[in-house]
Amino acid sequence: MPTWLMQTQSFFILVLMIFGITQAKKRSLHVKIMSTAMIWDIILILQIELSRSAILKASKAMSNPMLLNIHVSIAVTTVVFYVFMVLTGRKVLAGQNQLLKRHRKLGYTTAVLRALTFATSFLAVSGAQNG
């Protein structure tokens, strides 16, 4: 799969996530948008794995360019945060509103991580091609 197509998907995932954040007051819509963004992001990761053997490359951290290692670390952390978002989000939907503040903070952190994943993907791709 061409790099530009993956980068385009990554951009739209980030835009969708930002839009989802703006819809937090409309819980049903927020859940649908954010679920779509997270699922699409995981599908994108699978596409990258299938087309580039990303896990094999990432496992060679000692010989990879530093930018690639940073990108992979941020991307993996983002997915870990998706798990926290789903867990806390489901509890908030079930009525545990005391978790709303934590869910919101985790959400903003997740969005920043996703933005950093997007930004570092350009550097990681150029660094991997030049390295």
Side-chain angles (χ1 to χ4, degrees), residues 40-61:
W40 188 3
D41 203 16
I42 291 168
I43 290 170
L44 177 58
I45 292 167
L46 293 173
Q47 290 173 351
I48 293 168
E49 169 55 27
L50 293 173
S51 65
R52 297 186 181 164
S53 301
I55 294 172
L56 180 62
K57 288 179 186 171
S59 68
K60 298 177 182 175

Side-chain angles (χ1 to χ4, degrees), residues 25-76:
K25 299 281 186 199
K26 302 173 187 171
R27 283 194 178 173
S28 178
L29 181 60
H30 173 75
V31 169
K32 290 174 185 169
I33 293 168
M34 299 311 280
S35 296
T36 300
M38 288 185 276
I39 290 167
W40 188 3
D41 203 16
I42 291 168
I43 290 170
L44 177 58
I45 292 167
L46 293 173
Q47 290 173 351
I48 293 168
E49 169 55 27
L50 293 173
S51 65
R52 297 186 181 164
S53 301
I55 294 172
L56 180 62
K57 288 179 186 171
S59 68
K60 298 177 182 175
M62 296 305 286
S63 61
N64 287 339
M66 185 183 302
L67 287 172
L68 180 59
N69 289 336
I70 291 169
H71 170 72
V72 169
S73 298
I74 295 169
V76 168

Side-chain angles (χ1 to χ4, degrees), residues 10 14 17-18 74 78 109-122:
S10 185
L14 183 57
M17 187 174 284
I18 292 167
I74 295 169
T78 302
T109 303
T110 304
V112 168
L113 287 168
R114 185 60 184 77
L116 288 170
T117 300
F118 176 68
T120 59
S121 69
F122 292 96

Side-chain angles (χ1 to χ4, degrees), residues 2 13 61 75-76 94 106:
I13 290 165
V76 168
L106 286 169

